[in-house]
Amino acid sequence: MNLVFLRRIITTSIGRKLIMAVTGLLLVGFVSFHLMSNLVLLNGQEAYNTYVEHLTGVPFLLFIELGLLSLFLTHILMGIYVRWEDYRNSPSGYKKRNWQGGRTIGSATMLYSAVTILIFLVYHIITFRLSDHSIGFYEMVTNAFRDPIFATIYVLGGLAMVLHLSHGVQSIFQTLGINHQKYTPFIKLGGWIIALTMAAFALLPLIFLFGLESHFMGMLH
Amino acid sequence: MSDIMKNFSVTINVWRQNSASDKGSMVSYPVNDVSPAMSFLEMLDVLNEDLIKKGDSPIVVESDCREGICGCCGLVIDGNTHGPDKNSTVCQLHMRRFKDGDVITVEPWRVKSFPVIKDLAVDRSAMENIMQAGGYVSVNTGAAPDANAVLINRADAEESMDAAACIGCGACITACPNGAAMLFTAAKISQLALLPQGHPERKERAINMVEAMDKEGFGNCTNEYECEAVCPKEIKVSNIARMNREFLIANFLSNK
């Protein structure tokens, strides 16, 4: 058995890019599903609790969660490694340097949005996944959202997602070798649409913080 | 003589460094009697003649064709790779882009894999090493083959030519926030991947050139596209996507 193709994926720059892109793509799929789940909150207590019970009742939940954890860890650890390597190799010592319009706000702040999301993620897992669920999922989530500090952290996490995906989504396609003048403008547009959709993560806590949830009741059926 | 052709004076704030091991620093020189018709490199020639007359050592700067096609000249001027003009090399920059009293910052390519030889000249052997790893086609000796023996469709020939326009100046690497050599390597892989003559060695080429690129210590690509923005030959980042494809196909779907 010749495993050189696996070694190349770990040791070459393009291989490592591929790992970032594939894990990134799967994570975009996960957060999209997560966002849909969050929106069930707007259908009220009964609908949400029933939904979450179904979701947490799936067989092999622990394995799914471990799979998800390894996906996050691979993306994060590879990201840190690649950044460290770039930091070593990047041109330095310029007295003057102007960017020429290739970079976007999203691409230039990937590291910062990533760190913000990571801090949010740790906070999110501690407060919702590892916490006491006895008062009911809906009650736990909405009580938290009505706390201004909690809501602020969630809004920041959501906005960091918008920024991260504004560069990340189209970057996945480029890395996978999918770039052509025929459709790349649509990929870039689609990337922005997916990124902006992530703003809903930031909107949900605000809706509950300001007590506006009754206006949305029954809208999503 | 019209006002627009009047000679003027500028101050050049330039990087001086004796050798790769020297620390180096910025030094200011006044340049008087600059003609707007001069190219930027001619202005440096005038300054150097002045320095030689004073017994100072001239500023070492690399240039060859001065027609924008050889890729020798490469400077960062006022923080802009190849100067302020788009799709242009330093030798095509003229002093009419500047005005009297300007202070112009001139720096070399600052890339970890391009050690400074002296002042503004850097050693770009790292790019040659990538080329030697696979940027060629093997041709058998003997009589030249018939020109029309291998048919190539027009669109592929044009696309290959677009990639082959790369002059190997290194601007893409200099402009990259990560110091990656992806656009250069991608152009060199693309120009041959698009032509039938490049196909026998296509798979080894993709793998060997990418591995050589990494070995030289260039950075990783994070798809910032600054390379495309500064390229004097307008090489597109779609070439990088092609290189990724070539590499992934060779790695996963071939015996290489």
Side-chain angles (χ1 to χ4, degrees), chain B residues 133-148:
Chain B
Y136 51 80
V137 289
S138 297
V139 179
N140 292 330
T141 52
D146 180 66
N148 295 320

Side-chain angles (χ1 to χ4, degrees), chain B residues 92-138:
Chain B
Q92 300 302 296
L93 173 67
H94 286 77
M95 291 312 292
R96 55 178 176 266
R97 285 288 264 118
F98 300 92
K99 57 183 194 305
D100 191 46
D102 276 356
V103 179
I104 307 167
T105 306
V106 189
E107 296 176 79
W109 279 177
R110 293 191 195 276
V111 176
K112 295 262 163 72
S113 307
F114 294 167
V116 169
I117 298 166
K118 194 174 190 314
D119 299 332
L120 301 173
V122 298
D123 179 1
R124 291 173 297 167
S125 305
M127 287 199 294
E128 313 265 342
N129 296 341
I130 297 174
M131 286 305 279
Q132 283 169 20
Y136 51 80
V137 289
S138 297

